[in-house]
Amino acid sequence: MDIQEKLEILSDAAKYDASCSSSGSNRKNSSNGIGNGDISGICHSWGADGRCISLLKILMTNCCMYDCKYCINRRTNAVPRATFTPREIADLTIGFYKRNYIEGLFLSSAVIKSADYTTELMIQAITILRNEYNFHGYIHAKTIPGSSQELIDQLGKLVDRMSVNIELPSNDSLKLLAPDKSKLDIVKPMSYISNKLENNQRLLSTFSKKRNFSLSPVTKYQKEKFVPAGQTTQMIIGATPETDLKIIKLSESLYNTMKLKRVYYSAYVSINKDSCLPTLDKPPLLRENRLYQADWLLRFYGFHADELLEEKHPNFNTFLDPKCDWALRNIDKFPVEINKASYSMLLRVPGIGVISAKRIITARRSFSLNFENLKKLGVVLKRARYFITCNGKYFDKISSFNPSFINENLLMLEKRSTPSKNNYSQLSLFENSLPTKGDVIKCLTGNF
Amino acid sequence: MFNWKLLKTIYLYDGTLNGLFTIAFDCYIFKSIPSNIIFEDNYISNFLDTAIYIKTDNEKSSRIWNGLYNNVSYDTLYNCYYAFLSCQKNKEINILKYILKAFIDGPKINTMLHIDYVLEVMKLRKNVLHESHRLKGLTRLSEINKNLFYASIHPDNNVIELLGHFFIKRFPLQNLILHDKNRNLLFLYNSQNPNNYEIISSPSNFNISNYSIEEIEFQNLWKTFFKNISIKERTNPRLQMQYMPKKYWQNLTELK
């Protein structure tokens, strides 16, 4: 089998991994090496599905000994199988990297023979890259559930980011759909990595104390640094009956206890037919989108999972995004005065994000802001206008603060931005239907 | 802004940052501001206005350069540089006012976003950095000879130097030719001489059509990867176009 065919099979098999970010590591290049990390990450292309391509995302092999029901590479599926040699992976990565196609390598694998054997092969490939080719670009390696701690240690010192996929958000679902994996297999490496990451912090502080005495503490620190870009995980959405609340709670505890950099959500695509699996016409993309919105609120906006959802309403509103939804339920906290509100309260206004909030804080130091200034600063008022005042004044046309009015307007915004295709048709000159009285009123008032 | 004399004259300059800094120096000394600053090649004379050509003086420009760096802030100097790379037409006059104001108000200039020209300079800077960041990903290098790489780009702003720096850091051992086809500029880097690079204007018929054998092979591999990595059930060409506007597609191997 030539390399072209292998790439075809093994990139196709790797595409269901959502993670493709290349941020978080600023590994430096050496004068005789190739590549460096970019702290903010760089996207190199976007596929036909609109997902960014920044890493060469491939499987080492898709010959799997496990039989996870949701997975395309399960043992019992009849799909073409292939295996890369470590050398082939290294050569392919360098060839692509040199031409600026990619930011680095995302290496995952099915479990061949045993977890340890698979991890060893991955380490071989990455060692060739790092030591032989002097490659300092980004490498993300997937941890194979059940591999030994020594190997994880070795891998962690070579790569920038590691991830262990949870895939299914509860133990029952795991038992049902991934009978060969246990919760312990997943949690153990994850907590091991997070402990090592805490060590990183300690290393950094001891080195910075020693800075005056040793020659190059920073380079020494970098050599010993374990997984500088942290670890991530992924969950499949819609294959099992868990509610959004349960998922978002799990994410929150992963961020707090395991110090994860990110949790990815992957809308379930029906690939396998099985009695345990739901059959979906389309992947639940809206639900995935809502979860990502909520995830951002957890990480950057200071929200807690309990604030976003409650036992009575365990799933997200399909019409409104989680932040608007929260604002309408907590309408007593609004309107917010732009010139006085704290940073954390500004962040809670729908339509104001981290960048806008920071800009407002900087700008209002030198002068007092009105709506015109906000527009100039680039703050989008589409949603925010209903929730804020500038120097005690509401946005024009909004005469008073009225929750039901806000709700209606927000829903209308949402409808307008996602027009359903069936409601419109080409007007015809030859149809002799005159506009009704209702149509005329609609035209005049603008309420469609 | 300040109670300086507002002249009716237009200043012409040679299109370099040093030229603009020379003008800034003169304005600062004479406490006057021209009605506009235009690159001499773009100027179309008109009998109503008076235009004066200001000769670039490296002595004067380095005074501004050091003044910004030492007395205002590193960021302010870089904001001027980034804004200057922009393709916008009236950038010069805004940058000039920004520099003069910076000498009066110091580093806090960058928070004074309610002043039009400060906001404008910030916007230009953002626009330039955004495009250069995008092109860091969307530039495709092709090997035309053993270890000699070529890439053509069509950027709106003059980002070739920013990109060149980025690639030198990343690939110090690769010889590189970057070609800005909108401006006919070439960025040349020789790995034998890692501390130097050159930007020259390109001959009008400069074109590359021969690639090494290995190059064709990798281009095919890349196309295969690109095709296979997207999930069919999630196809969303609008989203793809939103992130990667069509104007960049002409230089992308995978979409040719």
Side-chain angles (χ1 to χ4, degrees):
Chain A
M1 193 182 279
D2 74 344
I3 189 103
Q4 187 89 28
E5 277 173 77
K6 280 192 188 177
L7 182 65
E8 214 173 308
I9 295 169
L10 292 169
S11 60
D12 196 70
K15 69 185 173 192
Y16 295 103
D17 250 312
S19 162
C20 197
S21 88
S22 52
S23 56
S25 173
N26 56 352
R27 200 180 281 272
K28 296 276 182 305
N29 198 356
S30 58
S31 58
N32 60 348
I34 173 171
N36 55 355
D38 188 292
I39 194 76
S40 52
I42 296 173
C43 297
H44 284 252
S45 191
W46 281 266
D49 50 7
R51 298 188 311 159
C52 110
I53 300 171
S54 105
L55 303 172
L56 170 62
K57 200 190 289 175
I58 44 171
L59 295 191
M60 177 106 213
T61 175
N62 66 342
C63 308
C64 199
M65 51 184 267
Y66 288 167
D67 199 25
C68 307
K69 302 228 160 62
Y70 53 83
C71 179
I72 184 124
N73 300 317
R74 61 190 285 199
R75 188 175 60 215
T76 44
N77 263 8
V79 291
R81 308 274 172 176
T83 305
F84 275 127
T85 64
R87 174 70 53 185
E88 280 169 341
I89 288 179
D91 287 349
L92 200 58
T93 310
I94 291 292
F96 277 11
Y97 194 83
K98 263 181 170 175
R99 290 168 176 77
N100 203 34
Y101 296 160
I102 52 167
E103 199 55 22
L105 172 68
F106 179 120
L107 188 57
S108 178
S109 183
V111 186
I112 185 168
K113 284 189 194 164
S114 74
D116 280 351
Y117 179 77
T118 316
T119 312
E120 269 168 24
L121 280 180
M122 288 168 71
I123 290 175
Q124 269 181 39
I126 295 168
T127 313
I128 295 174
L129 274 173
R130 287 281 193 237
N131 295 348
E132 204 171 300
Y133 286 108
N134 256 322
F135 178 71
H136 302 279
Y138 196 90
I139 299 180
H140 178 158
K142 188 121 280 179
T143 317
I144 308 298
S147 49
S148 72
Q149 286 190 350
E150 290 74 28
L151 290 174
I152 291 177
D153 238 26
Q154 225 177 322
L155 192 59
K157 279 181 188 147
L158 293 166
V159 301
D160 296 277
R161 174 169 280 182
M162 277 173 110
S163 55
V164 193
N165 278 5
I166 289 184
E167 304 291 15
L168 301 166
S170 77
N171 209 7
D172 297 338
S173 305
L174 209 60
K175 262 187 208 148
L176 185 70
L177 295 184
D180 307 306
K181 291 185 194 164
S182 73
K183 191 176 145 197
L184 195 70
D185 278 348
I186 294 163
V187 176
K188 223 171 107 188
M190 204 181 249
S191 59
Y192 180 69
I193 295 171
S194 84
N195 283 338
K196 293 282 283 186
L197 284 173
E198 266 173 37
N199 259 349
N200 261 357
Q201 286 298 322
R202 233 172 294 141
L203 264 180
L204 183 64
S205 60
T206 50
F207 277 124
S208 52
K209 268 177 213 155
K210 274 192 216 158
R211 186 162 282 184
N212 297 333
F213 306 107
S214 100
L215 273 174
S216 57
V218 179
T219 41
K220 198 176 170 197
Y221 160 68
Q222 264 177 354
K223 258 186 200 155
E224 288 181 34
K225 198 165 179 185
F226 183 86
V227 199
Q231 63 167 333
T232 62
T233 190
Q234 168 174 313
M235 285 188 248
I236 299 175
I237 304 306
T240 46
E242 283 82 12
T243 60
D244 289 347
L245 176 63
K246 196 159 183 188
I247 293 167
I248 211 79
K249 275 262 200 189
L250 177 60
S251 301
E252 189 180 40
S253 68
L254 285 170
Y255 288 132
N256 291 340
T257 58
M258 299 283 188
K259 301 279 175 284
L260 250 61
K261 274 276 146 81
R262 266 189 82 169
V263 176
Y264 288 90
Y265 308 93
S266 158
Y268 173 67
V269 183
S270 304
I271 10 179
N272 298 336
K273 290 221 157 49
D274 195 293
S275 55
C276 309
L277 287 169
T279 40
L280 308 170
D281 309 336
K282 275 189 233 154
L285 294 178
L286 179 65
R287 191 170 170 211
E288 183 193 282
N289 182 240
R290 289 280 179 261
L291 282 165
Y292 272 121
Q293 287 173 325
D295 188 81
W296 249 253
L297 294 180
L298 291 183
R299 286 187 298 143
F300 301 116
Y301 292 75
F303 279 90
H304 298 291
D306 292 329
E307 288 178 295
L308 297 171
L309 289 171
E310 44 201 79
E311 289 292 343
K312 270 185 262 162
H313 314 278
N315 287 313
F316 286 112
N317 192 331
T318 43
F319 299 108
L320 287 176
D321 63 273
K323 203 179 182 189
C324 277
D325 198 43
W326 174 86
L328 285 174
R329 276 187 283 115
N330 294 278
I331 203 75
D332 52 305
K333 299 200 170 64
F334 295 97
V336 163
E337 169 56 46
I338 285 293
N339 288 301
K340 285 183 188 143
S342 64
Y343 176 68
S344 60
M345 198 57 218
L346 281 177
L347 276 182
R348 293 192 165 224
V349 177
I352 294 184
V354 176
I355 293 175
S356 297
K358 280 188 179 154
R359 246 183 238 168
I360 289 170
I361 299 264
T362 346
R364 75 184 183 189
R365 275 190 208 131
S366 42
F367 66 107
S368 133
L369 293 161
N370 58 30
F371 283 99
E372 200 54 37
N373 298 138
L374 285 184
K375 271 188 195 166
K376 264 195 190 171
L377 288 180
V379 178
V380 184
L381 294 175
K382 204 170 96 178
R383 291 189 177 77
R385 64 170 112 180
Y386 300 107
F387 299 96
I388 54 176
T389 58
C390 285
N391 297 320
K393 288 192 195 103
Y394 289 110
F395 192 75
D396 61 18
K397 284 181 200 157
I398 300 172
S399 51
S400 68
F401 194 71
N402 179 352
S404 63
F405 169 77
I406 297 173
N407 194 2
E408 253 168 53
N409 277 287
L410 287 177
L411 282 175
M412 204 131 78
L413 274 180
E414 207 67 23
K415 263 185 212 155
R416 237 177 256 165
S417 60
T418 51
S420 75
K421 279 170 195 156
N422 312 330
N423 287 350
Y424 303 98
S425 59
Q426 175 81 43
L427 285 176
S428 166
L429 282 172
F430 308 106
E431 258 173 50
N432 48 7
S433 62
L434 289 166
T436 61
K437 200 179 172 192
D439 290 335
V440 174
I441 291 171
K442 273 183 197 167
C443 284
L444 290 174
T445 56
N447 288 325
F448 289 98
Chain B
M1 78 175 164
F2 0 176
N3 40 11
W4 288 11
K5 219 192 302 170
L6 295 172
L7 304 176
K8 293 222 169 82
T9 10
I10 294 171
Y11 285 176
L12 304 180
Y13 77 120
D14 62 353
T16 62
L17 188 58
N18 280 338
L20 184 60
F21 278 6
T22 308
I23 292 178
F25 183 84
D26 284 353
C27 290
Y28 192 78
I29 295 296
F30 297 116
K31 302 269 181 279
S32 62
I33 295 165
S35 71
N36 204 356
I37 305 173
I38 301 174
F39 173 35
E40 58 169 336
D41 289 6
N42 294 342
Y43 178 64
I44 301 163
S45 72
N46 171 342
F47 74 72
L48 287 181
D49 35 69
T50 39
I52 303 172
Y53 179 74
I54 306 281
K55 198 163 170 289
T56 302
D57 182 336
N58 286 334
E59 179 88 8
K60 289 176 179 174
S61 79
S62 69
R63 290 271 300 269
I64 293 287
W65 198 280
N66 292 331
L68 284 175
Y69 186 81
N70 297 325
N71 303 340
V72 187
S73 70
Y74 178 87
D75 287 351
T76 313
L77 176 61
Y78 264 77
N79 288 347
C80 294
Y81 169 62
Y82 292 137
F84 184 75
L85 298 179
S86 162
C87 61
Q88 214 233 22
K89 273 197 185 125
N90 294 324
K91 62 183 181 190
E92 290 95 347
I93 191 75
N94 286 320
I95 299 173
L96 173 78
K97 289 179 183 169
Y98 173 78
I99 293 173
L100 299 177
K101 186 82 173 155
F103 279 120
I104 295 171
D105 284 321
K108 72 166 189 261
I109 174 93
N110 294 329
T111 68
M112 300 163 94
L113 297 174
H114 58 298
I115 306 176
D116 290 344
Y117 49 84
V118 178
L119 189 67
E120 191 58 33
V121 167
M122 291 304 185
K123 274 190 185 156
L124 295 181
R125 165 186 175 269
K126 194 181 150 201
N127 186 263
V128 167
L129 288 179
H130 185 230
E131 188 175 33
S132 107
H133 181 81
R134 236 180 195 165
L135 284 171
K136 281 176 191 172
L138 293 174
T139 305
R140 299 282 171 265
L141 309 180
S142 345
E143 198 175 38
I144 47 179
N145 217 323
K146 188 93 190 119
N147 205 30
L148 174 59
F149 288 81
Y150 168 83
S152 63
I153 47 174
H154 292 82
D156 294 336
N157 301 308
N158 188 8
V159 293
I160 197 166
E161 195 172 10
L162 298 178
L163 278 181
H165 269 292
F166 172 77
F167 286 123
I168 291 178
K169 253 194 201 164
R170 184 160 275 204
F171 310 115
L173 301 179
Q174 284 172 219
N175 302 315
L176 176 70
I177 304 173
L178 273 181
H179 188 185
D180 181 342
K181 286 199 165 168
N182 285 348
R183 283 176 190 72
N184 288 325
L185 289 175
L186 289 178
F187 178 100
L188 307 174
Y189 168 73
N190 181 350
S191 62
Q192 303 293 320
N193 192 357
N195 297 321
N196 264 327
Y197 62 86
E198 240 183 306
I199 297 176
I200 56 168
S201 58
S202 70
S204 56
N205 55 354
F206 186 82
N207 232 330
I208 300 284
S209 51
N210 287 333
Y211 297 121
S212 66
I213 306 162
E214 206 193 61
E215 174 63 31
I216 308 286
E217 203 180 301
F218 271 107
Q219 289 194 358
N220 287 332
L221 283 170
W222 174 238
K223 282 179 191 164
T224 310
F225 176 75
F226 181 79
K227 206 177 79 212
N228 279 302
I229 203 66
S230 69
I231 300 175
K232 271 178 211 70
E233 289 85 348
R234 301 179 60 129
T235 304
N236 191 349
R238 273 187 65 188
L239 187 63
Q240 182 188 28
M241 214 112 69
Q242 189 184 325
Y243 285 124
M244 191 165 59
K246 273 247 159 111
K247 64 179 172 188
Y248 297 113
W249 287 26
Q250 53 188 327
N251 296 319
L252 294 174
T253 317
E254 63 269 30
L255 291 163
K256 261 177 200 162

